[in-house]
Amino acid sequence: MPSEEELFASIDALLEEEPQLPPPAERARLRDAAGITQARIAKAMGVTEQTVKNWENGRSEPKPPRLEAYQRLLNGWAAKYPAHGAPAAAPTPAPQPDVPQTFAGPAAAESDEPALNAQAPAVQERPVRPAGRAATSRRPAAARAVKPAADPRFPHGPLAVLDGDGSAYGVDGLVLDCPAATVVELVEWTLRESGLGAARLHRHGKDSDPLIVLTAAAAVKLGLPERLEDRRGLRLAEDHPVVKQVLKAKWQLTQRGFGPWARIYRKAQGRERQCVQLAILPWDALDSRSWPGVAEMEPADVARVLGVYAQRVITPRGGTAVNGLELMTALRPPTRPERDEESGGWVSGRNPGSLGTEPMDPAPPEGQPEHPAIFHSGWQGGFLHEEAYQWVRDIDQLEGWEMTQLYAVGLDLNTAFLASSARLVVGLSAPDHFHAPSFNAKIPGSWLVDLSHIEINPRLPSPFTPDGKRPTGPAWYQTHTVAYAQELGFHVQPIEAYLRRETGAYLDPWHDRLKNAYVDTLADLGVTKDLSDAEFLAAMERHKEVDPAMAAVLAAIKATVKGGIGKLFENPQGRGYRDGDPWPAMQRPTWRPDIRAAVISKARVNMHRKLNNMVKLTGLYPLAVLSDCVVYPSPGASPLDFLPYAASGKPQPGGFRLGPTPGLAKLEGVQPMAWAVDLMEQGLNPARHIKGGDAVLDEGE
């Protein structure tokens, strides 16, 4: 007779099994019976219509968390529309496994796809607020009825912007009355009464802590200075009355203290996190480069901008670079519950496909001289130098007909780094050293190889160096760069290599979520996929004026991409740093310079491939390239005057194409050809200034 403990362990194992879906034909029958189109399901599930078709014909199956959401949908229909006239049964909600929430690291994820917030599994139902006191909402009843809360634990959305009169502005026009007069009271009101927060993005991750944004008036009311005097450390002094007040109430601050992005928390009680994030607007919490104009907006508009960003990307926890890195971890949690075979209980184990919980030393050529492991080893073997393009064609390589063109037209690739992260296989384990290996384009790593024998047309940049100059001897390259040399038809024989045995498409869910956010936000600004190229150019010219709030969201999404990739190779900071000492960034699992190198290498190769194809399709050579911006001579002031089109009017594949999705191009700027030639004669890059005035390209969106 099995014991009670053994029975519960067996049941827990059953609960952990993946949901079983009905046969493909039954899925299609249920949808037809409900009168719902495949397109509507695709929109609700956040996938393409073809994906739904594949589910219904058995070619593919949804992955968690869409698997659970799709099962819930089919179960509901099965109860309403039973086969063969069987009586309908009341739908029974699927039980959730009672497993411990992971505790190592920030919010994270196991599956390759982000969860649908509407179907995010609740770890534990908790009351939104104590029964004795309700958070008062001033949102109109009609507005509340239009969009029900996605998660009953967080009925008022992910965040609120608090003004000096006690009004807390939330998403969808919500206004709460906040009676707090101190920071401590604000934290306790937020956790107990506000109904703020957001469901985890992955079943093995953590819910997002509620965010309270303070206007200048709210900050002063709570006893905070309107201006942060410590501009270097960006934090309140430890003896400030507010800091003392927080600590006296048994709350804690993170190591970065009470700054523009302050986290106030207590140790979790069971599964309940007790943490509130504060963003203080007058302390420049929202950098104008990433959030243009947001700090000057009215509180309700700030709430709208941040609310859309939180719903499409992640609840902000800091600058956009921090958010980009946090999103990676939220979608790929480092740990997941595992059953201990000896005890039968649940323990925290590594989540497959994640970067784990421990930092990893880079291979010697992938780091930098000041890294402790490299500095103290005496490494002299050179370093990987995979960076974005900064190239200008030699003025002597300009032909006469090019000089007579009227315009220099700049094209910019939409979120080029995001596009290159799609389906990008990267290393997940520590690097191993190999001597004279055979090159394998499927293995991520760093290769020491001599590519100096490869001659490229001087009117094009070399694909192997950021400055576009021909290599002069053996150097370290990331896998994509070496693979492109093979693609061009050249033999490569590596001398050495640092390769990783465990690999995976770590950035896939990050790419998918940010791509959807980018495309959806552009669509809100009138730039949709169904526009002709001429209509697309016209829509892009006016999109920032359509809705400044949504334009700010778009800028923040682009900054999240750029900053998130940059954070993978964050350098030491501060005057007191000495070479060979560890620094905070390198001590996190997401400090991965090799992954950043892979993204940039692939982006640069993608750019060169398009440049090469443009020569084949049009005979045109670029004047200059800067990261994801390229400048061409043109007889007219529009990309339509030189981009390759077939007789049918469709864009020719392989070259630059206009469009609103990552990897496609948009107009960066237009200047007279004489202006570009003048800059080239001075050795300056026209791509950097093609927007005109003092505008400088935001390298590496």
Side-chain angles (χ1 to χ4, degrees), residues 393 398-411 537 614 618-624 630-645 658 667 669-677 680 686 690:
R393 201 200 311 179
L398 281 180
E399 297 186 11
W401 71 268
E402 292 177 308
M403 302 281 282
T404 63
Q405 297 300 293
L406 295 178
Y407 298 98
V409 177
L411 292 175
L537 291 172
M614 283 289 288
T618 67
L620 288 177
Y621 290 87
L623 301 176
V630 56
V631 178
Y632 276 103
S634 172
S638 168
L640 301 177
D641 295 316
F642 65 90
L643 287 179
Y645 290 88
L658 299 174
L667 177 64
V670 181
Q671 297 291 340
M673 183 63 183
W675 168 91
V677 172
M680 294 169 71
I690 193 70

Side-chain angles (χ1 to χ4, degrees), residues 157-233:
L159 56 87
V161 180
L162 181 63
D163 206 359
D165 62 357
S167 297
Y169 297 85
V171 298
D172 301 326
L174 170 75
V175 185
L176 299 173
D177 290 317
C178 175
T182 67
V183 169
V184 170
E185 291 177 359
L186 174 62
V187 170
E188 294 176 348
W189 173 84
T190 302
L191 291 175
R192 297 174 183 174
E193 303 177 41
S194 70
L196 297 174
R200 52 192 174 172
L201 297 180
H202 185 277
R203 60 176 177 169
H204 296 318
K206 295 189 178 78
D207 296 332
S208 289
D209 299 316
L211 169 64
I212 300 293
V213 182
L214 302 182
T215 66
V220 171
K221 177 183 176 181
L222 296 173
L224 296 169
E226 189 169 350
R227 174 178 170 79
L228 192 60
E229 297 299 330
D230 180 8
R231 305 306 299 169
R232 178 173 295 278

Side-chain angles (χ1 to χ4, degrees), residues 4-358:
E4 180 180 328
E5 186 174 311
E6 290 172 333
L7 286 171
F8 273 83
S10 298
I11 295 301
D12 286 342
L14 288 175
L15 290 174
E16 274 294 280
E17 291 184 3
E18 298 291 359
Q20 298 298 311
L21 296 175
E26 177 66 4
R27 303 170 200 175
R29 184 195 72 80
L30 290 171
R31 179 182 55 75
D32 288 338
I36 301 297
T37 64
Q38 292 172 330
R40 286 188 63 187
I41 296 179
K43 183 176 181 180
M45 300 288 285
V47 297
T48 64
E49 186 175 349
Q50 183 60 49
T51 298
V52 177
K53 291 180 181 178
N54 292 342
W55 293 349
E56 291 189 358
N57 60 31
R59 291 179 183 170
S60 68
E61 296 289 323
K63 298 178 181 179
R66 289 187 173 92
L67 175 60
E68 292 85 353
Y70 191 43
Q71 185 201 41
R72 178 176 177 178
L73 177 67
L74 296 176
N75 285 347
W77 283 341
K80 290 183 178 180
Y81 312 108
H84 309 302
T92 303
Q96 296 296 328
D98 185 16
V99 296
Q101 195 173 17
T102 54
F103 50 82
E110 172 194 282
S111 73
D112 286 353
E113 299 179 354
L116 294 177
N117 281 347
Q119 307 297 343
V123 176
Q124 177 180 342
E125 288 296 328
R126 70 178 183 187
V128 173
R129 59 184 69 85
R133 184 176 182 184
T136 306
S137 169
R138 299 202 300 272
R139 180 169 55 187
R144 288 198 297 272
V146 170
K147 195 172 184 180
D151 191 307
R153 298 170 299 153
F154 311 116
H156 293 152
L159 56 87
V161 180
L162 181 63
D163 206 359
D165 62 357
S167 297
Y169 297 85
V171 298
D172 301 326
L174 170 75
V175 185
L176 299 173
D177 290 317
C178 175
T182 67
V183 169
V184 170
E185 291 177 359
L186 174 62
V187 170
E188 294 176 348
W189 173 84
T190 302
L191 291 175
R192 297 174 183 174
E193 303 177 41
S194 70
L196 297 174
R200 52 192 174 172
L201 297 180
H202 185 277
R203 60 176 177 169
H204 296 318
K206 295 189 178 78
D207 296 332
S208 289
D209 299 316
L211 169 64
I212 300 293
V213 182
L214 302 182
T215 66
V220 171
K221 177 183 176 181
L222 296 173
L224 296 169
E226 189 169 350
R227 174 178 170 79
L228 192 60
E229 297 299 330
D230 180 8
R231 305 306 299 169
R232 178 173 295 278
L234 292 177
R235 64 179 64 190
L236 282 181
E238 294 183 1
D239 60 353
H240 189 278
V242 170
V243 175
K244 289 183 176 180
Q245 174 193 94
V246 168
L247 299 179
K248 184 178 180 181
K250 306 300 182 184
W251 290 97
Q252 300 180 56
L253 296 167
T254 57
Q255 290 185 349
R256 58 182 173 180
F258 204 121
W261 290 91
R263 294 184 67 77
I264 302 176
Y265 70 99
R266 281 179 181 154
K267 186 177 180 180
Q269 296 179 353
R271 298 175 184 172
E272 287 299 305
R273 288 170 60 82
Q274 297 186 87
C275 184
V276 174
Q277 176 83 57
L278 299 183
I280 305 171
L281 292 181
W283 297 1
D284 301 325
L286 299 180
D287 189 322
S288 60
R289 293 169 296 180
S290 302
W291 303 92
V294 177
E296 289 75 41
M297 292 181 179
E298 293 297 319
D301 294 323
V302 176
R304 179 178 174 229
V305 170
L306 297 180
V308 171
Y309 180 89
Q311 291 165 347
R312 293 181 178 176
V313 182
I314 193 172
T315 302
R317 291 189 57 178
T320 48
V322 171
N323 298 336
L325 206 62
E326 290 288 340
L327 182 62
M328 292 180 197
T329 309
L331 296 170
R332 289 281 198 191
T335 61
R336 69 173 184 179
E338 289 183 353
R339 199 160 66 126
D340 187 341
E341 296 299 331
E342 293 184 5
S343 67
W346 291 94
V347 296
S348 183
R350 187 188 166 210
N351 188 20
S354 76
L355 299 182
T357 60
E358 298 298 324

